[in-house]
Amino acid sequence: MKMTINDEILKLYRDYNDAMAADDTVALDRLLAPDFTLTHMTGYVQPRAEWLRELRLGTMHYFSSIEDHVEMTATAAGWRVVGQNRVTASIHGSGKYAWPLNTVMVVEQVDGRWQIMSAVVTTY
């Protein structure tokens, strides 16, 4: 059965969280647009290459991401995805902590495939 557009966008969101929890920079490289930025809960806007490098080096290490809720809304340019996940990570040498994270993603088509343009993370 062919996936609906809603199924595709939900899969993209879940693939992102799975790849992040696995520190899978190869998968993230496919999912993220070239100009992707990640705005952390601290407010720091991190460029794509810097975030992927920190994942590869282990400076940022994610252990798990458990989904609580996801909402998707079509926009003129693509999709807005808002999801709440409980994420366990060690960031910049901190201990292993769990955070309830709210992620607001902008998803658009780039060269004929859906990619994540940005993600803004806060707590919920």
Side-chain angles (χ1 to χ4, degrees), residues 25-92:
T25 58
V26 172
L28 287 169
D29 191 54
R30 284 191 316 272
L31 301 171
L32 306 177
D35 294 333
F36 170 84
T37 58
L38 173 61
T39 304
H40 293 275
M41 61 184 180
T42 61
Y44 177 63
V45 180
Q46 189 169 38
R48 177 188 193 276
E50 181 182 309
W51 185 50
L52 294 177
R53 183 174 54 254
E54 288 204 51
L55 289 173
R56 282 191 297 276
L57 295 173
T59 310
M60 300 184 103
H61 177 64
Y62 297 90
F63 298 94
S64 65
S65 180
I66 300 167
E67 183 180 302
D68 283 336
H69 183 76
V70 182
E71 290 184 12
M72 302 173 301
T73 307
T75 67
W79 289 83
R80 179 177 187 264
V81 181
V82 180
Q84 290 86 37
N85 285 52
R86 287 170 281 130
V87 176
T88 301
S90 173
I91 306 299
H92 298 142

